Amino acid sequence: MSTPFTPDVVEAIKRHMNDDHADDSLLICRALGGQPEATSAVTSGVDAEAIEFLAVVDGREVTVRVPWSTTLTERAQVRAEVVRLYREACAALGVPARGEH
């Protein structure tokens, strides 16, 4: 797992996702992570290739990695990729996406 992100950057991204976008993480896991039965999800990691979640499926934690559309080299790219994943997940699940993230 390669990463251009320092541990403190990864922690900041995880904290932001878990504090502000937990519902989005769940949608992404359900639609794009192959876990349609997930009942909750938290962001557990970020690297150049993917975002990783711990999802609860049938009462147990399952690791879910969802790849980015490209290899990331900068922190600013994470936001655009998460928004893209969220919108794709909403479209796949037939859920209206919120406006600007």
Side-chain angles (χ1 to χ4, degrees):
M1 212 183 322
S2 65
T3 185
F5 312 121
T6 61
D8 61 316
V9 167
V10 171
E11 286 304 314
I13 293 168
K14 288 170 28 180
R15 185 172 43 254
H16 173 72
M17 286 297 296
N18 293 329
D19 290 350
D20 298 340
H21 300 288
D23 292 341
D24 301 351
S25 296
L26 180 57
L27 290 175
I28 292 167
C29 286
R30 285 179 174 169
L32 306 177
Q35 299 297 334
E37 303 301 318
T39 56
S40 67
V42 294
T43 303
S44 59
V46 176
D47 60 47
E49 306 299 327
I51 187 167
E52 191 167 279
F53 304 95
L54 283 178
V56 175
V57 180
D58 295 327
R60 61 184 180 88
E61 284 190 341
V62 176
T63 299
V64 178
R65 277 183 64 83
V66 180
W68 305 126
S69 65
T70 188
T71 300
L72 304 188
T73 58
E74 299 176 8
R75 180 181 182 169
Q77 294 173 293
V78 173
R79 181 182 185 279
E81 283 295 300
V82 169
V83 169
R84 179 189 64 78
L85 292 174
Y86 165 74
R87 290 190 175 142
E88 284 184 18
C90 287
L93 295 172
V95 174
R98 291 185 311 280
E100 188 64 27
H101 265 62

